[in-house]
Amino acid sequence: VLVTNGVYNTGGKAVFNTFTNRVAIDKAIAVQSVNGPEVTTIVGASRTLDTNFVIIESTAGRCAYVGSNAILVGFTLTDGGTRYIGGPGQEQGGGGVWSEPSGVVSNCILVHNYSPYGAGAWGGTLIDCTLRENYAHFDGGGSYAATLYNCTIVSNHVNYGNGAGSYGGVLSNCTVMGNFVGMFAGVGAGCYGSILYDSTIKSNTSGGWAGGVGESVLYNCILEFN
């Protein structure tokens, strides 16, 4: 399915209970923009945050759900938000995108999404994506339990948990930079509980004891200025 330029910010479909996804790819197909993420945007329905990045508004809607063997290519996913009730993954995770394990998100920009867990992305595989300025209340500002290849994970925020850049998952040839966990948060501003290959982790800061990585395993990585 090819999608022309535009801002897509109306309509939606529930996959888990009554929680709405602006776009739900529930068949094994590829949905691809014609001209890339700079001119093709999916807008969710995020919650309003207070000055401590605590969600204070009840309405929310995820940008995209990517089902089994489905592929999403070439979109900006922004202003998505999830609930504080329901399943911690299915309804509280992935303000930008929630993917089944075999789902793939490629050449996308995930920015300004909000969620208790995995504000940018929950699950699936992300390739050549940028995850920036996403805000998780607990764990995984950029991603949660996802596999990332050639991705840039920058300036994401966790308020009270761990892993502002990534929580869990596997990262290969990624740049993790400038992510921040708050003064009441845990550890691993860059990554927490992750496995990293050939990646650069730098300039991440934490209110806990580990600015760069926490409880993670690194292979041939650069770790600096954390």
Side-chain angles (χ1 to χ4, degrees):
V1 176
L2 293 177
V3 180
T4 193
N5 301 0
V7 177
Y8 298 90
N9 58 4
T10 60
K13 181 177 181 180
V15 177
F16 307 117
N17 297 321
T18 60
F19 181 62
T20 300
N21 306 272
R22 187 71 72 201
V23 172
I25 312 173
D26 55 4
K27 297 179 174 60
I29 62 172
V31 176
Q32 181 172 348
S33 71
V34 175
N35 293 309
E38 291 79 10
V39 291
T40 321
T41 302
I42 299 170
V43 181
S46 66
R47 300 172 172 192
T48 301
L49 307 185
D50 67 13
T51 55
N52 293 315
F53 304 107
V54 176
I55 296 172
I56 58 176
E57 185 179 314
S58 61
T59 59
R62 180 183 291 122
C63 293
Y65 163 82
V66 178
S68 296
N69 300 310
I71 305 172
L72 181 70
V73 184
F75 292 85
T76 291
L77 308 177
T78 189
D79 286 335
T82 62
R83 292 174 168 170
Y84 258 83
I85 59 174
Q90 296 174 344
E91 294 181 75
Q92 296 188 52
V97 62
W98 196 101
S99 295
E100 299 288 352
S102 58
V104 175
V105 178
S106 177
N107 188 31
C108 287
I109 299 170
L110 291 77
V111 58
H112 295 162
N113 298 290
Y114 308 91
S115 184
Y117 304 93
W122 175 293
T125 297
L126 287 83
I127 303 170
D128 297 322
C129 292
T130 297
L131 299 86
R132 62 178 173 85
E133 298 172 30
N134 300 287
Y135 296 88
H137 192 58
F138 298 116
D139 300 317
S143 66
Y144 189 109
T147 299
L148 300 96
Y149 296 98
N150 305 321
C151 291
T152 299
I153 307 162
V154 58
S155 299
N156 300 285
H157 184 103
V158 157
N159 203 34
Y160 288 106
N162 303 301
S166 71
Y167 184 98
V170 178
L171 289 75
S172 180
N173 196 31
C174 293
T175 297
V176 185
M177 182 174 65
N179 301 284
F180 176 75
V181 294
M183 63 179 297
F184 300 111
V187 299
C191 303
Y192 181 85
S194 304
I195 302 174
L196 297 96
Y197 300 90
D198 304 307
S199 295
T200 298
I201 308 100
K202 64 180 181 179
S203 302
N204 302 284
T205 56
S206 172
W209 56 267
V213 294
E215 304 296 329
S216 297
V217 180
L218 281 65
Y219 298 95
N220 195 32
C221 292
I222 297 172
L223 180 63
E224 61 183 38
F225 303 119
N226 293 286

